[in-house]
Amino acid sequence: MSYEKVSQAQIITVGAKQTVKALLNNEVREIVIAEDADIEITSIVIQTAEEKQVPITIVSSMKELGKISGIEVGAAAVAIIK
C-alpha cells in the first residue's frame, strides 16, 4: 500500500539526508521509512518528522523502496512532497 503512495506521488525525495532537508523546509506531506534500514540512518529522519508532525509510514524493504522510487539501490527513507 505505501509503496503505491510513493509510486503515485508526483514529487519525492529519496534518501535520509534529502528527506531531512525537505522536512526542515516544511515541504513534506508524508515520510516512508524502510524497516530493514540501519536505525542510525533513519533515527534522525523519524525524529525530525515527529518534530514537524509529519506522518510516518513503515515499509518492509529498502530494496523495494529504492526500486519504486526509481533508483537502482535500496532507499532508507523517502519523502512524499506532492
Side-chain angles (χ1 to χ4, degrees):
M1 173 89 172
S2 297
Y3 294 119
E4 281 183 30
K5 287 182 184 179
V6 174
S7 68
Q8 293 173 358
Q10 294 175 355
I11 302 172
I12 61 171
T13 62
V14 181
K17 289 180 184 178
Q18 292 298 324
T19 298
V20 169
K21 188 176 183 180
L23 280 164
L24 293 174
N25 289 330
N26 297 312
E27 299 172 338
V28 181
R29 282 189 324 162
E30 185 174 347
I31 297 294
V32 181
I33 302 283
E35 187 175 39
D36 62 346
D38 188 339
I39 191 68
E40 290 180 16
I41 295 170
T42 58
S43 63
I44 187 67
V45 176
I46 293 168
Q47 180 182 348
T48 308
E50 288 173 348
E51 288 171 4
K52 296 289 186 175
Q53 299 181 343
V54 172
I56 301 168
T57 302
I58 307 294
V59 295
S60 59
S61 169
M62 282 181 64
K63 184 176 181 179
E64 186 65 26
L65 187 56
K67 182 179 175 183
I68 213 80
S69 300
I71 62 173
E72 295 182 18
V73 295
V78 171
I80 297 173
I81 307 295
K82 220 178 196 185

